[in-house]
Amino acid sequence: MFDSVVAPMTVTDFFKEYFRNKPVVIKGADNKFSDVMNWKLLSDILNQSAIWSPHSLNLYSNTRAISADQFSYPSLTREGNEGRLINFDQVAEHVKNGASLVLNDIETLNPGLKSVAHAIESTFVGKVQANLYCSRSENQALPVHFDTHDVFAFQVEGSKQWRVYGTSVQKPINHHFFKSIDQSFHEANKGELSIDEELTSGDFIYIPRGFYHEAMCHSESTVHVSYSCVPIIGIDLLTAFFDVAVKDELFRDAIPNPDEKSGKKLEEHITRLVGRMRNNVLSPEFQEPFKEALNNYKFDRFSVKLPDDFV
Ligand SMILES: [Fe+2]
C-alpha cells in the first residue's frame, strides 16, 4: 500500500534515493489522502470526546504550549482514574484565536489512519505512530527542530509552508542527550535551506531523522498528519545482550581493582568480557531471536470484524 503513498515515484526509487538519506516532497491530487483524514473524519474522532485528555490533545500558540487548565477540566477518565477531560468549546476558542491543535497517537482511530500506519511499518520495519496538526490561521506550532525518528507527513486539508534544512546531528535518538539541546543551538546549526515548498492537500513530505525543519500555516484552515517511524538500532542490540550477560558469571564478576600496579589484570578482564560478548552476539543462539525481534518490531494493532469474529 505504501506504493500508492509515494506514487508516481516507485517504492524502489524511494528506498534508493531518499530513505534515511534525504528529504523529498511528492505532489498529489487534492483527494489523494482523503480516506486517511479530512474535516469530517477529524470531527468524527474529536466527537469521541471521552477519549481525549491533555496527554493526547495539546494546543500551541506561536511555538509555545498552552497550559492544559485553559482547555480541560478535572474529571474521572474512561479508565476510572482522577484526571482531566477536554473542554472543546475552549479548544475551539483557542484555535479561532490562532492556536494550533495537536493530537497525539491517533494511528488507530479510523481505518485510513490505521492502514497507512501498517503500510509504513511493513515497508520500513519500525514502530509507527501518528500525530495530527490543525491550524486556522497564520501560526507555527513548533520552532525549527529535528526529530529523532523519520517523518512521513500527509497534507490533508488546506496548505502549509514546509522548510527543510540540513542536518548537524547524525542519527539522533530519543534520549536526554539530544532532547536537551538548546533552541539557540538549533537556530544556529540548522544549515542550508534545501526545501521551501507550499504543500497543499494531497501532497506528501518525507524527512529523515536529524534534518532540521519547520512548518508554517498560511491558509485559512490546514491539517496535516505526521507519522513517525522508529527502527531497531545498535543500542537495542546492547540492550538485548544485557539479558544474556545477566546469566553469565563472567559479567556478574567484580572488575579487578584499577589501582593495581601494572593494570594488567584489569586489561585482561576487559579483554575477556569483550571476547565473550563478541562470541555471544555472533552465535546463532543470540542472532536468531534478535532477527525474529527485528521482523516483529511493530505495535500490535488488532482488527475486529463483526459479527463474524464473535460467531
Ligand atoms: Fe518535526
Side-chain angles (χ1 to χ4, degrees), residues 133 142-143 145-147 149 151 162 207 211 213-214 224 226:
Y133 300 80
L142 300 173
H145 66 281
F146 60 73
D147 289 307
H149 48 254
V151 171
W162 283 78
I207 306 174
F211 279 80
H213 58 278
E214 58 193 333
H224 84 265
S226 182

